[in-house]
Amino acid sequence: MTGQDGFSTSFVETVAGFTAGIVSTLSLHPLDMIKIRLQVDRSSSRFGGSLRIIRKIFYNEGGYAAFYRGLTPNLIGNSTSWGLYFLCYSSLKDTIRNHREDRKQILTSSDYLLASGSAGVITSVLTNPIWVIKTRMLSTGSHAPGAYSSFASGAKQIYQGEGIRGFYRGLIPALFGVSHGALQFMAYEQLKLLRLRSMNGSSESSHLGAERALGNVDFFAISGLSKVFAGSVTYPYQVIRSRLQTYQAHLIYRGAIDVISQVWAREGIAGFYKGLGPNLFRVLPSTWVTFLVYENTKVYLSRLSQNPWNTSY
């Protein structure tokens, strides 16, 4: 869908998502590393694990710089994923709306669930190779035996040692994780609608212009609530996916079911929630940054497309 004198919706969604992915990754990469280290830790769960891992990284792997190992694949993965996700999500919402007799009708929860779930599947399949390299680089120090020295080196080693199949390790739990994004975006859209109704009454036009009607405080609260809701339901899949994407996963686990069996037998239910603390600590700021940057970038691009000669935004 393209405006007559402005940027296309696809362009706006892609650029907004891409920008949001870059900003959130640069801001919160170290917390992502700590979360992954906890997720792949096979020892019994215990309190203080985050501090133990922080000390280990700082003193054994090179100080502050060690917390930014794997930044390149994380930047590539997050920016590409968010750009692609928002592009697909917007296109699918438009497709659903265009198949309605009344194209201005507000989409239902099931519509948002379908659009976000489908966008998540497409994004997961296309970007899984990036996440395999990222997980392996963040799960070990740069001096560990067999550690990848760079993104390109990791891709080369996976292809030579494991073939194409190696790039798709952890895809099944990642696809299960699509439910996380689907639940989050369903909640996000419905919370936006509820907020708009409380401000302006039950207006369809106000919902379609949500990014302009709502302010940063609204996006801050709505994105946080939707993330907590989705995260509380789906976190265990992240642990399963991370274990399947580690360097020696093919020697330790036979598949996702085997991961579940081993974690349950050795670590109990707590094992499926390893890294939840730093994940919550990381994921909420990441969500706030991502959605605030995304929504504000959309507004900026929309205004710029309407008046490209006005730079005072």
Side-chain angles (χ1 to χ4, degrees):
M1 184 172 65
T2 306
Q4 292 180 344
D5 58 350
F7 298 130
S8 69
T9 301
S10 298
F11 176 81
V12 171
E13 293 289 342
T14 303
V15 172
F18 188 84
T19 304
I22 289 177
V23 174
S24 64
T25 301
L26 288 174
S27 304
L28 300 159
H29 179 81
L31 291 175
D32 205 7
M33 172 180 283
I34 297 166
K35 180 196 74 173
I36 288 178
R37 294 290 181 95
L38 283 167
Q39 288 177 344
V40 302
D41 181 11
R42 301 179 69 222
S43 62
S44 298
S45 300
R46 61 182 180 180
F47 294 108
S50 297
L51 293 176
R52 173 173 52 85
I53 286 175
I54 290 171
R55 286 196 297 266
K56 181 180 178 181
I57 293 172
F58 183 82
Y59 291 111
N60 299 340
E61 299 178 23
Y64 293 110
F67 289 97
Y68 283 89
R69 171 170 164 75
L71 179 61
T72 297
N74 208 9
L75 273 175
I76 295 172
N78 268 316
S79 59
T80 302
S81 293
W82 279 116
L84 182 60
Y85 185 91
F86 280 116
L87 169 63
C88 294
Y89 181 54
S90 176
S91 299
L92 289 165
K93 285 192 297 182
D94 287 340
T95 299
I96 294 171
R97 191 175 286 112
N98 289 336
H99 278 80
R100 297 281 174 80
E101 292 183 5
D102 181 4
R103 295 188 178 185
K104 292 184 178 181
Q105 180 183 353
I106 295 175
L107 298 182
T108 64
S109 295
S110 59
D111 293 329
Y112 290 124
L113 200 63
L114 175 61
S116 57
S118 300
V121 169
I122 295 170
T123 303
S124 293
V125 171
L126 293 178
T127 62
N128 197 78
I130 302 172
W131 298 125
V132 173
I133 300 171
K134 171 219 168 179
T135 297
R136 294 184 180 186
M137 291 187 72
L138 267 65
S139 64
T140 59
S142 59
H143 300 298
Y148 302 152
S149 58
S150 66
F151 179 79
S153 173
K156 181 179 179 180
Q157 288 187 51
I158 291 174
Y159 181 73
Q160 291 178 339
E162 304 169 53
I164 296 297
R165 184 177 180 180
F167 289 107
Y168 287 91
R169 294 192 180 278
L171 179 60
I172 299 302
L175 289 176
F176 176 76
V178 166
S179 62
H180 175 96
L183 290 170
Q184 179 186 353
F185 274 81
M186 179 190 71
Y188 182 73
E189 298 285 4
Q190 292 301 316
L191 287 169
K192 283 206 298 187
L193 179 57
L194 287 173
R195 175 56 178 154
L196 283 164
R197 283 175 172 168
S198 70
M199 293 167 59
N200 305 315
S202 182
S203 169
E204 293 179 358
S205 60
S206 65
H207 179 61
L208 296 174
E211 67 278 5
R212 297 189 181 188
L214 299 178
N216 287 334
V217 174
D218 297 309
F219 292 128
F220 182 89
I222 292 169
S223 61
L225 288 171
S226 63
K227 192 67 175 180
V228 169
F229 165 70
S232 64
V233 176
T234 63
Y235 182 79
Y237 96 86
Q238 295 188 42
V239 174
I240 299 168
R241 182 184 64 181
S242 292
R243 303 249 179 148
L244 285 170
Q245 291 179 341
T246 55
Y247 288 98
Q248 301 298 322
H250 62 290
L251 301 177
I252 302 172
Y253 306 112
R254 295 189 298 273
I257 299 300
D258 190 39
V259 174
I260 295 172
S261 298
Q262 289 196 40
V263 171
W264 179 262
R266 295 186 179 193
E267 305 160 53
I269 190 66
F272 292 102
Y273 289 91
K274 279 189 170 182
L276 180 59
N279 181 63
L280 289 175
F281 185 70
R282 169 196 172 275
V283 83
L284 285 176
S286 177
T287 298
W288 293 327
V289 170
T290 298
F291 279 88
L292 285 172
V293 172
Y294 166 72
E295 296 286 3
N296 281 281
T297 301
K298 279 176 59 180
V299 171
Y300 175 81
L301 290 174
S302 297
R303 290 175 177 171
L304 183 63
S305 67
Q306 293 171 6
N307 187 2
W309 305 110
N310 185 0
T311 59
S312 60
Y313 297 121

